[in-house]
Amino acid sequence: MQANFSIALKHVLDHEAGFQDDPRDNGNKLSDGRKGCTNLGVTQAAWEAYVGHKVSTADMKALTADKVAPFYKHKYWDLVHGDDLPNGIDYLAFDFAINAGPGRAVKTLQTAVGVTADGAIGPKTLQAVKAIDSKKLINKYTDAKETFYRCLPSFAIYGKGWLARTNAVDITAKTLIG
């Protein structure tokens, strides 16, 4: 729900916190071919697109939670309609959007509630989400996330961390539903 963005962001940043420059991470190529870095879960490529200009490694290291909050709200929370989703489900979709993209996060949600997976949250999706038991939906969504991660070529490198995060998000989402 609308008031949950700051709570959801805090949980996301607990998982994403810290600067990293992993040479094995192919998900952060810059438009000019350089390899970028990541801080607070924000890739250098995504930050450059958001601010509209190139940024340095030092700029990335200087990111703070306050600086990245509007980025996360605009690029992920709003795209999964976090303000319209029930407590817990909002965080679940938001977190997966950050890792797999908002389109995949929405399609995963739609598949879990049995509506056409078109990647756009509208009245039918919201109605279906609100009609299903939240714990049951979290379980279905978590299972789908695990399946997605296990199919990725880089699962051997990052899989243990992805599954640990998936489990932690599942637990937190269930506590947020109240």
Side-chain angles (χ1 to χ4, degrees):
M1 303 302 289
Q2 195 166 21
N4 286 350
F5 172 72
S6 60
I7 294 166
L9 181 62
K10 182 210 173 296
H11 289 297
V12 163
L13 293 178
D14 286 346
H15 292 289
E16 295 284 5
F19 178 82
Q20 70 98 343
D21 193 6
D22 186 343
R24 302 169 299 170
D25 185 357
N26 292 320
N28 193 12
K29 299 280 187 218
L30 302 175
S31 60
D32 61 6
R34 293 176 296 138
K35 169 140 176 10
C37 54
T38 302
N39 193 11
L40 300 173
V42 179
T43 66
Q44 187 171 350
W47 191 250
E48 287 182 353
Y50 181 70
V51 298
H53 57 81
K54 289 184 179 180
V55 298
S56 67
T57 300
D59 294 328
M60 290 301 295
K61 286 181 177 179
L63 290 179
T64 64
D66 287 341
K67 283 184 184 177
V68 300
F71 166 85
Y72 274 120
K73 176 110 174 37
H74 175 71
K75 299 292 280 180
Y76 301 101
W77 182 265
D78 290 346
L79 294 179
V80 300
H81 290 250
D83 289 341
D84 301 320
L85 296 173
N87 293 343
I89 306 305
D90 51 3
Y91 167 58
L92 189 72
F94 174 56
D95 184 80
F96 193 46
I98 293 163
N99 286 109
R104 181 171 308 281
V106 169
K107 288 178 181 178
T108 301
L109 181 64
Q110 290 170 320
T111 299
V113 297
V115 299
T116 302
D118 61 8
I121 292 187
K124 287 182 182 177
T125 300
L126 290 173
Q127 181 180 16
V129 167
K130 291 173 183 174
I132 190 171
D133 176 74
S134 290
K135 284 187 181 178
K136 180 179 177 183
L137 176 53
I138 291 168
N139 289 338
K140 289 177 79 170
Y141 201 95
T142 297
D143 289 346
K145 284 172 59 176
E146 288 183 11
T147 299
F148 169 75
Y149 288 134
R150 288 180 187 282
C151 292
L152 294 176
S154 52
F155 184 79
I157 298 169
Y158 302 110
K160 185 176 180 181
W162 290 335
L163 294 182
R165 179 172 176 163
T166 297
N167 183 57
V169 169
D170 177 271
I171 292 167
T172 300
K174 287 175 180 169
T175 65
L176 292 174
I177 63 174

